[in-house]
Amino acid sequence: MGKTSILREAQRRIAHDFPEPLSIDDARYQPMLRTVIPSGSTALKINLTLLWKQGWPITGKTHRIADLKVVELLRRQHTRLIGIDNVHAILTASGRARRDTLDAFRFLMSEGNVPMVVAGLDVAADIFTEDVELAYRSIILRLKPWPQGAPTQRLIRVLGQGMGLIEPDRLAEPRAP
């Protein structure tokens, strides 16, 4: 389908355009944080996965402050975009597990203050659409399969505009391999 490829290419281009600042301390700098959350997820697993991808050590104490630490690191590291791939795997749980996962997304969207791309199958879009707050905070796109070229570049351009880049068109220019 190409979701992962689009996220990887966006991550590569964003990393190229946003080199590591001199003021990063104790965690790994990633202008775009791209991850897959383990299935059967809860808010804690989402936050621990994001912390791990940022290079933060996971200890017994981390579990108690994971959500706040994620938000702090996103700000301190100047993360420009979060990309969560295959989100349908964690949203198809039922009951409390689904509510907990949706709560984690609501928290990240309101407190994280970083644009987030959540990629998954149509069922994920349906779940986001049914949740009033997530639907309000989201732009839900249902992509049809497409060939490489203009549509991919258009999506990357839209992501660049959403991040407030001065020259979002530069991200979408075809680059030599």
Side-chain angles (χ1 to χ4, degrees):
M1 297 197 60
K3 298 178 307 297
T4 301
S5 297
I6 291 169
L7 288 175
R8 281 187 181 135
E9 181 63 13
Q11 183 179 34
R12 186 184 71 76
R13 291 179 184 209
I14 290 168
H16 180 268
D17 281 359
F18 293 99
E20 184 171 345
L22 299 174
S23 62
I24 296 298
D25 301 339
D26 46 8
R28 181 181 314 139
Y29 174 68
Q30 293 185 27
M32 178 178 169
L33 189 61
R34 183 182 60 82
T35 191
V36 175
I37 307 296
S39 61
S41 192
T42 64
L44 180 61
K45 280 187 186 176
I46 292 169
N47 290 320
L48 290 176
T49 301
L50 291 173
L51 285 172
W52 175 72
K53 287 297 266 190
Q54 293 177 87
W56 193 259
I58 306 300
T59 66
K61 293 179 182 179
T62 306
H63 291 73
R64 293 190 296 271
I65 60 164
D67 51 353
L68 300 175
K69 184 51 87 175
V70 165
V71 171
E72 176 193 337
L73 285 177
L74 291 174
R75 286 186 185 123
R76 190 169 4 137
Q77 291 181 220
H78 309 288
T79 301
R80 309 285 182 175
L81 182 68
I82 298 172
I84 299 180
D85 201 0
N86 295 329
V87 73
H88 54 277
I90 62 173
L91 289 177
T92 53
S94 60
R96 181 184 168 108
R98 179 185 286 184
R99 283 191 308 276
D100 194 42
T101 299
L102 294 174
D103 285 344
F105 281 117
R106 283 188 213 95
F107 178 76
L108 282 169
M109 288 178 167
S110 65
E111 294 297 320
N113 205 24
V114 174
M116 188 176 347
V117 173
V118 180
L121 300 179
D122 280 342
V123 67
D126 294 340
I127 292 167
F128 265 66
T129 301
E130 293 167 4
D131 186 283
V132 175
E133 188 175 347
L134 290 175
Y136 176 76
R137 294 177 181 269
S138 303
I139 298 170
I140 298 171
L141 302 172
R142 293 179 191 259
L143 304 177
K144 295 180 176 134
W146 58 26
Q148 288 186 336
T152 304
Q153 292 164 340
R154 190 169 56 242
L155 178 61
I156 291 170
R157 186 176 296 111
V158 168
L159 290 173
Q161 289 168 341
M163 292 185 310
L165 298 180
I166 295 171
E167 299 179 52
D169 292 338
R170 210 164 50 88
L171 271 181
E173 291 173 2
R175 295 194 182 183

